[in-house]
Every structure is written in C-alpha cells, then in structure tokens.
Amino acid sequence: MESYTIGQAARLLGVSVDTARRWADAERFPTRREGARRMVDGPDLAAFCVEVAQEGGEGEDLPYTSARNAFPGIVTAVKLGIVDAQVEIQAGPHRIVSLLTREAVEELGFEVGARAVARVKSTSVFIDRA
C-alpha cells in the first residue's frame, strides 16, 4: 500500500502544507507516524480527496455544463494574437493551457491573477470565469 507524507498529500490536494496539517490535526483524514514523519495511507487520502471535491461544489454558483472534469485555478498568463489567444491556468499542481479566440478572452475579462475554471471534455478544454 502506498503512503504519502503530509507535503505530498498537500500537493495532491492542491493546498498548502499548513492546510493539510490543520486538516490532519482536526482528524479530517487519518495519519500515522513513521519516525518523525507524518504519513497518510493511499486509500485514506483517496477517500478524502473525493470528499473535498464534493464539498467544493456546495453553495457555489456554478454554471450548468456537461463538462465534468473541472480544474479551478488562477490565470498565470494571457497571450493575445490578432484573432486567437492562449490562456494559462495553474490549478493546484496542474498547468493548463487553452487556445481560444481573442474575443472570448476579452469578453470573459481574463487577465493574470483572475480566477478561472478549466473544464476538460474529450480533447477540448473549456475555461469559465470563476
């Protein structure tokens, strides 16, 4: 069975190490000690990841969409062409790049630092203003 340190768990959850430690201290997921290291068993971390993902959608005004693979993050780069544009989003440990029209980028108001959600369906990536 695979185990993870608190730091590795934090990266997989897309949160800071301090947040992961606070969640562990609050017994939101079980940990054990291996020497000086605090470890999380893989199945326990997987179950907690699912729980956190389900909590994330409650109470938010999310758009109705058929694209189920959503990656909330922050815009880290916008490159505008004459007709097209490239938007980069950092969503936890994931860097997502989407090519779309310049008009769409301008209408959605994407700029570095803006919150956004990348939605992946099949081979296309859709991004929504968060």
Side-chain angles (χ1 to χ4, degrees):
M1 173 175 39
E2 191 153 355
S3 297
Y4 300 90
T5 65
I6 289 291
Q8 291 169 323
R11 279 190 298 281
L12 291 168
L13 289 162
V15 298
S16 70
V17 174
D18 287 337
T19 296
R21 282 191 188 115
R22 281 192 296 274
W23 285 345
D25 290 343
E27 298 179 356
R28 294 208 47 203
F29 59 87
T31 61
R32 59 183 167 71
R33 291 272 182 196
E34 276 186 18
R37 293 185 127 179
R38 217 165 161 183
M39 304 298 290
V40 184
D41 290 332
D44 294 328
L45 183 59
F48 185 67
C49 285
V50 170
E51 178 185 323
V52 168
Q54 290 172 343
E55 288 173 0
E58 294 175 12
E60 294 180 13
D61 291 330
L62 296 177
Y64 292 104
T65 179
S66 64
R68 299 291 179 227
N69 301 313
F71 297 89
I74 188 167
V75 175
T76 57
V78 177
K79 298 174 186 164
L80 296 174
I82 295 171
V83 175
D84 61 347
Q86 178 178 313
V87 177
E88 294 183 26
I89 297 171
Q90 191 67 41
H94 309 289
R95 176 180 167 261
I96 300 166
V97 179
S98 180
L99 300 176
L100 55 164
T101 65
R102 179 184 180 122
E103 181 181 7
V105 169
E106 290 171 348
E107 283 180 10
L108 291 167
F110 285 127
E111 58 185 25
V112 173
R115 289 185 300 156
V117 178
R119 297 189 189 279
V120 180
K121 182 160 181 149
S122 188
T123 58
S124 299
V125 177
F126 304 92
I127 55 176
D128 304 324
R129 180 71 192 252

